[in-house]
RNA sequence: GCGCUCUUAGCUCAGUUGGUAGAGCAGCGCUUUUACACAGCGAAGGUCGGGGGUUCGAAUCCCUCAGGGCGCACCA
């Protein structure tokens, strides 16, 4: 036997595997089949009509550019789950879409316009800016969809959704109206996180704490004032209304309740000494200057002690009180002016360098200025009658606590609870233009909220837009057509798995639980699978600025999407960060080639296999060993241990099948005993077929190509999973 | 400060419920009349971060120490 010149082997197989020439053709074939749509599977008898649903709604990538390796990880994990379940007979839906990502997208476009045209959003105006942002979003969307297809993702494109399209807008407005009527959404003048750079409020979760060097100043307001206070922000002290000490602090107890007038750097202030248990005796002087308008803690303290709230800093982080030395100055300049004044007056007692955490805005990097503003909030502590008197906080906590939702890996439960327990009301209004406009209209004293604009003249819609996570929070059900009671909603909701990164556990996952529990009274999904961060070969975070970012498109072009997928998934446990290097991907390209050569060998060796070939006793043992391994792999897949399942397949195919079975087959195939030879031919044929079938969810392209070369007419993608026969 | 997590072969990491350790890559030796050099065969390499405990038995469970990573946080 000389396999290389056998006429039975397709030309293509005689050369090394070339993913570039196969992958796009294969994807088109899948897409054309229509089988990404579960209803088509049922129509053609490939899925039973009564089959259990398996649903994943794709975490919608932001339309801010293109996909990176983190997205590639997400797509790989989900596609493996989806392809496996589709083959295993489930009514499998993977619903794709994109996110308008309000603030991220707008600030990106604003930056580009500023750079290329030197214009701000206010120069362009709301309408023109929105036009530009929408054009950018469309282009991004197209790039993203293309990249997703290159990765092999078997999404049902007929159901594609966008967080800002018509159906989703209706869902957003419906939920808003309902929450407003339930008193869960309220408009209030409260202290918020103001980003002076982005000129908008942001939520607590959009704050990033940065460690900086700062100076802690210790001083008194005036010569007559009896208590010294410490602060890193002397400029806010012109807005002080009280000094708070701990109730048990005997050093100051004689002053509690007394009130003082002072002129602080030219600004008259009135200070009341109060006792509050939030004050730490051991910090600084043990006395805290209370600035209700510019500190979250102090705002709450003002609630407790009925203190006035004097705003002294405006939206541009500039002073709004004082004489020439302060009025209109930036806060940093005002700080210097006040420090100078304190020294001059001999009021300064101590200046020491400290490390301090500064709150900055995640998107713009602006230093957060806490300000009192009239904004929209979601009340997380108000009992909801229709939900058994439970609060949103409770509705978010319960399903995870009682395992209606399980998180993989499960130690994230603790992180989740920790976040919920510290949760405050969610500020949902933003002063940006791109996004869902708040569905509230005003006319004089009248206020209207609804899905459609009110009838009649004189109504003016709220200028603000909603936090982008408000619409993302509805994603599990808005994508299925809610608020209409659609068939899709009945069949596919609650969805089965939510697969995403732990970085958006609070931003998004928790909000989805909140919104779904509120609007539908169910969980949005049963399992949360969290993947880790994809780092480069040296363990650094991939980023454009570091120049170490990999483009999934480049990887696919160079090594094949299959190789990229396997490299991402093999050995990467859920929740843990992974490192990916070109070497690792190259290794998987070699694996694809290995499959190619295994197939060449087997095709050639079995060309003259008799139709009535049966497995000998010895070969049955080998086959049963594979079936045992396959059962283990199937169990791993069912428990979402994809990293183990892929590793086992890799090992079985390369070590057991190629190195052991193929090698030991060579003498048997040359045997004079026709039964021995036929048995071995049968064994090889069956093992090849079943291993590439089992590998298909992981490496869909090369396995589908090989299936073609084996003469299969049916798509491997819709071939039943080998254990289900 | 509170919480979570990690520390396993030179490097990167697996290791489902406790049963005395595995892979990939790198490296070493050999192999080029071979399905595949994008390969094969072989050898080598770890007291599973330190210490203590529970157990017949611990990489795995508990305590503690050391060092990384992450999350949360109103230390003014």
């Amino acid at each position: 036997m000389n396999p290389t010149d056998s006429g039975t082997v397709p030309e293509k197989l005689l050369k090394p595997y070339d993913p570039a020439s196969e992958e796009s053709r294969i994807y088109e074939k899948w897409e054309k089949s229509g089988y990404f749509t579960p209803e088509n599977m049922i129509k053609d008898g490939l899925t039973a009509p009564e089959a259990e649903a398996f649903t994943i709604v794709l975490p919608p990538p932001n339309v801010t550019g293109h996909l990176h390796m983190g997205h590639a990880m997400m797509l790989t994990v989900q596609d493996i789950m989806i392809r496996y379940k589709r083959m295993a007979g489930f009514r499998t839906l993977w619903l794709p879409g994109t996110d308008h990502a309000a603030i991220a997208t707008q600030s990106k476009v604003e930056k580009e316009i500023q750079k290329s045209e030197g214009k701000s959003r206010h120069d362009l105006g709301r309408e023109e800016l929105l036009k530009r942002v929408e054009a950018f979003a469309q282009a991004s969307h197209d790039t993203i969809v293309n990249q997703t297809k290159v990765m092999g993702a078997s999404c049902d494109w007929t159901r594609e959704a966008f967080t800002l399209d018509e159906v989703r807008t209706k869902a957003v407005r419906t939920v808003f109206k309902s929450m407003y009527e339930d008193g869960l959404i309220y408009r209030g003048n409260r202290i918020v996180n103001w980003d002076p750079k982005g000129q908008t409020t942001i939520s607590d979760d959009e704050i990033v704490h940065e460690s900086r060097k700062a100076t802690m100043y210790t001083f008194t307001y005036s010569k007559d004032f009896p208590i010294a206070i410490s602060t890193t922000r002397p400029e806010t002290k012109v807005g002080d209304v009280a000094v708070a000490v701990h109730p048990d602090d005997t050093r100051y107890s004689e002053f509690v309740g007394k009130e003082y007038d002072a002129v602080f750097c030219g600004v008259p202030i009135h200070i009341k000494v109060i006792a509050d248990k939030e004050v730490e005796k051991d910090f600084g002087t043990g006395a805290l200057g209370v600035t209700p308008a510019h500190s979250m803690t102090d705002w709450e303290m003002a609630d407790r002690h009925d203190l006035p709230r004097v705003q002294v800093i405006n939206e541009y982080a500039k002073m709004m009180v004082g004489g020439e030395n302060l009025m209109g100055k930036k806060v940093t300049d005002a700080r210097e002016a006040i420090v100078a004044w304190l020294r001059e007056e001999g009021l300064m007692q101590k200046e020491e360098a400290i490390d301090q955490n500064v709150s900055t805005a995640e998107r713009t990097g602006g230093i957060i200025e806490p300000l009192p503003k009239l904004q929209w909030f979601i009340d997380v502590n108000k009992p909801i009658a229709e939900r058994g008197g439970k609060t949103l906080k409770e509705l978010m906590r319960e399903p995870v606590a009682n395992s209606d939702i399980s998180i993989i890996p499960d130690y994230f439960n603790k992180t989740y609870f920790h976040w919920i327990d510290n949760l405050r009301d969610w500020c949902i209004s933003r002063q940006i233009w791109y996004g869902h406009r708040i569905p509230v209209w005003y006319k004089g004293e009248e206020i209207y909220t609804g899905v459609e604009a009110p009838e009649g003249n004189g109504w003016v819609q709220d200028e603000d837009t909603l936090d982008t996570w408000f619409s993302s929070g509805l994603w599990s059900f808005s994508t299925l057509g809610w608020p209409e009671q659609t068939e899709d909603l009945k069949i596919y909701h609650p969805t089965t798995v939510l697969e995403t990164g732990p970085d958006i556990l609070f931003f998004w996952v928790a909000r989805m639980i909140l919104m779904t529990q509120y609007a539908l009274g169910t969980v949005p999904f049963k399992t949360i699978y969290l993947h880790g961060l994809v780092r480069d070969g040296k363990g650094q975070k991939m980023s454009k600025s570091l120049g170490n970012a990999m483009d999934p498109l480049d990887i696919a072009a160079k090594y094949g999407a299959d190789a990229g997928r396997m490299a991402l998934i093999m050995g990467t446990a859920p929740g843990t960060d992974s490192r990916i290097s070109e070497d690792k991907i190259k290794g998987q390209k070699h694996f694809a080639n290995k499959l190619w050569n295994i197939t060449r060998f087997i095709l050639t060796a079995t060309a003259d296999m008799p139709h009535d070939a049966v497995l000998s006793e010895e070969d049955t043992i080998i086959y049963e060993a594979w079936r045992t391994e396959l059962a283990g792999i199937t169990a791993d897949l069912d428990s979402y241990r994809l990293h183990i399942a892929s590793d086992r397949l890799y090992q079985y195919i390369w070590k057991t099948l190629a190195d052991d079975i193929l090698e030991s087959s060579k003498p048997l195939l040359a045997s004079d005993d026709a039964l021995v030879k036929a048995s071995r031919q049968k064994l090889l044929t069956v093992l090849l077929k079943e291993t590439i079938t089992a590998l298909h969810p992981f490496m869909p392209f090369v396995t589908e190509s090989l299936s073609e070369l084996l003469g299969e007419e049916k798509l491997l993608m819709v071939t039943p999973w080998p254990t289900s026969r």
Side-chain angles (χ1 to χ4, degrees), chain A residues 43 138 167 187 252 301 351 431 438 468 544 573 579 678:
Chain A
K43 197 181 70 197
Q138 184 59 49
V167 179
R187 195 183 194 208
Y252 303 118
M301 216 174 274
E351 301 182 36
Q431 290 66 55
I438 292 191
T468 189
K544 250 188 271 175
R579 300 188 182 195

Side-chain angles (χ1 to χ4, degrees), chain A residues 529-544:
Chain A
Y529 179 105
L530 298 170
H531 61 245
L533 208 61
V534 182
R535 298 172 176 277
D536 74 2
K538 292 175 192 151
Q540 289 176 301
K541 211 166 168 171
M542 286 193 188
S543 74
K544 250 188 271 175

Side-chain angles (χ1 to χ4, degrees), chain A residues 186-195 201-204 207 233 236 239 290-303 309-313 368-377 424-429:
Chain A
Y186 66 93
R187 195 183 194 208
N189 194 36
R190 291 194 27 200
I191 191 159
V192 293
N193 306 304
W194 179 260
D195 171 12
T201 54
I202 60 172
S203 65
D204 294 345
I207 289 176
R233 298 201 59 190
T236 63
V290 183
T291 324
H294 299 288
S295 154
M296 296 279 176
T297 327
D298 297 4
W299 179 273
E300 286 165 11
M301 216 174 274
D303 277 343
R309 303 152 204 270
V310 185
Q311 185 177 348
V312 294
I313 296 167
I368 296 305
E369 198 62 64
L371 290 181
K373 287 192 76 74
L374 187 60
Q375 296 292 325
W376 291 94
F377 296 88
R424 305 182 202 212
D425 286 3
W426 172 17
C427 176
I428 52 168
S429 46

Side-chain angles (χ1 to χ4, degrees), chain A residues 56 249 414 422 495 504 601 653 665 672 682:
Chain A
I56 296 179
D249 197 335
K414 289 176 186 166
N422 289 301
T495 66
I504 52 173
F601 177 87
I653 291 171
S665 295
D672 292 334
K682 172 102 178 166

Side-chain angles (χ1 to χ4, degrees), chain A residues 408-482:
Chain A
I408 301 172
D410 60 2
Y411 56 75
F412 275 104
N413 280 352
K414 289 176 186 166
T415 315
Y416 181 80
F417 293 139
H418 189 250
W419 177 80
I420 294 204
D421 296 341
N422 289 301
L423 188 64
R424 305 182 202 212
D425 286 3
W426 172 17
C427 176
I428 52 168
S429 46
R430 298 288 180 275
Q431 290 66 55
I432 57 169
W433 293 337
Y434 186 53
H436 289 279
R437 188 104 170 240
I438 292 191
V440 172
W441 288 260
Y442 309 98
K443 185 159 88 177
E445 291 297 296
E446 281 183 87
I447 182 163
Y448 171 91
T449 178
V451 174
E452 303 293 338
E455 308 214 347
N457 297 323
W459 289 99
V460 180
Q461 189 172 4
D462 197 296
E463 285 291 312
D464 290 350
T465 50
L466 286 167
D467 181 1
T468 189
W469 300 104
F470 189 100
S471 51
S472 321
L474 317 180
W475 192 240
S476 80
F477 57 90
S478 69
T479 48
L480 295 169
W482 190 90

Side-chain angles (χ1 to χ4, degrees), chain A residues 80-134:
Chain A
I80 292 168
M81 294 178 183
I82 288 287
R83 283 181 186 271
Y84 164 60
K85 291 292 181 178
R86 186 186 290 123
M87 293 168 89
F90 286 77
R91 180 169 186 165
T92 308
L93 172 64
W94 190 11
L95 199 158
T98 47
D99 195 319
H100 70 286
I103 196 163
T105 310
Q106 180 177 318
S107 64
K108 179 144 192 179
V109 173
E110 275 188 78
K111 266 181 212 159
E112 279 177 15
I113 293 172
Q114 186 69 46
K115 205 170 154 193
S116 60
E117 302 170 37
K119 287 182 182 166
S120 76
R121 66 163 139 151
H122 300 285
D123 296 330
L124 294 175
R126 189 164 192 150
E127 205 176 318
E128 176 61 20
L129 182 86
L130 283 181
K131 221 191 271 176
R132 304 281 193 97
V133 176
E134 277 156 19

